[in-house]
Amino acid sequence: MKKGNLISACLFIILGIYVTMLSNKFPNPGGDQVTGPDFFPKVLSGILIALSILLFVSTVLNKEDRQVGLLEKSAIKAYITMAALILYLVAINIVGFAIATPVFLFGLIRFYGMENHVKIAASSVLATAIIYGVFKVLLAVPLPMGILFG
């Protein structure tokens, strides 16, 4: 597992540097404004680089090398989460962001062990509303409406 973490960390550091270099070439019609089209790619690539360095350092400092089998409970949960994410990506294009996202979040939170359905529903709807508010209202980013409602 250590070798995989080290290789992944190095690859993601390289990817982060590459994205930063690419975003430096974006045109900036706003002049000297801080938030041009290159702002978010640079922020995200910086976060990616920082987390990759953290993974690299923690892997080097960690003495224990735990192997996870392909059919262990934690691995199977990861496979189910990946399948749910793929299903969500398909559903978002059919029923739209506003319906697919809270359903996806509800299912995932429930799957990972929270049992209070009222709290799960409230947090799913609240998270969806916050994401919608930030992207659709504040940043004017179009969100998928879906085939059924678009």
Side-chain angles (χ1 to χ4, degrees):
M1 191 65 151
K2 273 189 159 190
K3 187 187 290 186
N5 282 350
L6 295 174
I7 292 170
S8 296
C10 289
L11 289 175
F12 282 119
I13 290 170
I14 293 168
L15 177 65
I17 292 169
Y18 178 70
V19 169
T20 302
M21 291 178 3
L22 279 181
S23 63
N24 283 332
K25 297 178 183 178
F26 287 177
N28 194 354
D32 291 335
Q33 291 180 345
V34 176
T35 56
D38 62 339
F39 179 73
F40 284 113
K42 284 182 180 176
V43 168
L44 293 177
S45 62
I47 292 170
L48 178 65
I49 291 169
L51 291 175
S52 298
I53 290 170
L54 184 64
L55 174 63
F56 188 90
V57 170
S58 67
T59 301
V60 169
L61 295 177
N62 189 5
K63 302 287 186 221
E64 185 180 324
D65 188 19
R66 184 183 180 285
Q67 298 292 327
V68 177
L70 291 176
L71 297 177
E72 283 186 30
K73 185 177 180 179
S74 60
I76 291 172
K77 277 191 157 189
Y79 303 146
I80 292 171
T81 302
M82 286 185 258
L85 186 57
I86 291 169
L87 184 63
Y88 168 69
L89 292 174
V90 171
I92 201 171
N93 291 312
I94 296 170
V95 297
F97 175 84
I99 294 173
T101 302
V103 171
F104 169 72
L105 291 174
F106 185 94
L108 208 56
I109 293 169
R110 179 66 190 99
F111 176 69
Y112 277 97
M114 190 171 188
E115 294 182 8
N116 187 331
H117 289 95
V118 174
K119 285 184 180 179
I120 298 172
S123 60
S124 299
V125 170
L126 181 64
T128 302
I130 290 170
I131 295 167
Y132 185 88
V134 168
F135 286 95
K136 182 75 172 176
V137 177
L138 188 64
L139 299 174
V141 174
L143 295 172
M145 296 298 291
I147 296 170
L148 298 177
F149 303 104

